[in-house]
Amino acid sequence: APRRFRIVLSGSLEPYNGVDLAIDAMRSLPEDCELVIAGAGTLAQRAADAAAADDRIVWKGFLSFDEVLVLYASADLLLNARITQAMDTRYFFPSKLMELLASGTPVLSTCTGQVEAEYGDVLYLLREETPQALAVRILDIRANDLETRRTLGARARAFMLREKTWDRQGQRLADYMMREVLGRSPR
C-alpha cells in the first residue's frame, strides 16, 4: 500500500494546542492521510482513544527530543494548531513553532500573535480554526508537489538558522535598547 500523507502534532496535549481540532479534522480527510500525535498533557487520553477508534490516527505518547526529531523528519506536514479564536493566546511564546520551522519539514500554523507577519512566507497558514477548514487546508497543501513542499520547509529552516539565533536576537535587543532607551541610532 502507498504511504499515507503524514501529519504530525506534537507537544503539550492541551486544549489550546489544537488537539481536538486535529482529531476532528481527520473525519473529513481521506484514507490516505494519517495523523501522528506525540506528547503529554490533559488530552493524552483523548489522543489514545482517537487512535483506538481510527487506524489513521497514531498515538505515540511522550517521546524524547531525539525521537521527536525522527518523527518530524518522517512527516509530510507538521501542525502548529495553537488556538487563537476560541481562547486568548496572543501572549504565548512561539517556542514550539520555532522548533517546527527549524526542522526543515513544512509547517501549517494558525495565525497566533505575529506568526503571519514574521513567518508567513516560510509556512502554510490556517486562518479559520474549524475541523473542516483544517481538513481543506491539509488537502490543499497535499495537492502541492513534493518539491514545492520540501522547498518551503528548507526555506523555513534557513530562515530560522539565519534570523532566530541567540546572536541575532541579542543584536536585536541591543539595537532596541540603543534606539528606545538611549535615543541613539544603532550601529
Side-chain angles (χ1 to χ4, degrees):
R3 191 174 86 69
R4 288 177 165 160
F5 185 81
R6 179 175 284 177
I7 306 139
V8 169
L9 176 69
S10 70
S12 297
L13 302 181
E14 300 298 337
Y16 57 78
N17 274 337
V19 179
D20 289 321
L21 179 68
I23 290 170
D24 293 344
M26 288 302 290
R27 292 189 194 117
S28 300
L29 288 170
E31 276 299 312
D32 65 348
C33 288
E34 168 182 78
L35 173 64
V36 180
I37 304 172
T42 60
L43 294 179
Q45 190 59 52
R46 166 97 161 96
D49 293 346
D54 185 340
D55 75 337
R56 298 170 308 134
I57 300 175
V58 178
W59 167 238
K60 293 283 193 180
F62 183 79
L63 299 176
S64 71
F65 187 64
D66 288 342
E67 291 170 320
V68 167
L69 294 179
V70 170
L71 181 60
Y72 291 169
S74 76
D76 293 294
L77 185 65
L78 302 176
L79 196 53
N80 181 63
R82 181 66 52 94
I83 301 302
T84 66
Q85 292 159 1
M87 54 186 73
D88 185 1
T89 57
R90 69 188 143 172
Y91 298 115
F92 280 37
F93 182 75
S95 57
K96 175 54 76 171
L97 176 60
M98 295 171 85
E99 174 185 306
L100 297 176
L101 291 168
S103 75
T105 299
V107 175
L108 171 59
S109 180
T110 54
C111 297
T112 57
Q114 297 297 312
V115 166
E116 186 168 4
E118 195 160 344
Y119 305 104
D121 60 341
V122 295
L123 53 65
Y124 297 105
L125 293 168
L126 177 68
R127 290 190 173 89
E128 185 185 339
E129 297 169 12
T130 66
Q132 298 76 20
L134 176 56
V136 166
R137 194 69 178 111
I138 288 169
L139 292 174
D140 287 347
I141 293 165
R142 186 187 68 169
N144 290 323
D145 65 273
L146 181 60
E147 194 55 39
T148 299
R149 294 192 315 261
R150 282 187 176 157
T151 297
L152 184 66
R155 278 189 22 236
R157 179 170 170 73
F159 173 80
M160 295 305 291
L161 294 175
R162 183 180 66 247
E163 297 296 326
K164 298 300 176 178
T165 64
W166 284 107
D167 287 345
R168 183 77 172 111
Q169 295 303 92
Q171 187 59 56
R172 280 187 163 146
L173 179 59
D175 290 350
Y176 172 82
M177 298 293 283
M178 288 287 290
R179 189 175 54 252
E180 301 299 325
V181 176
L182 301 174
R184 295 188 207 147
S185 178
R187 303 197 248 132

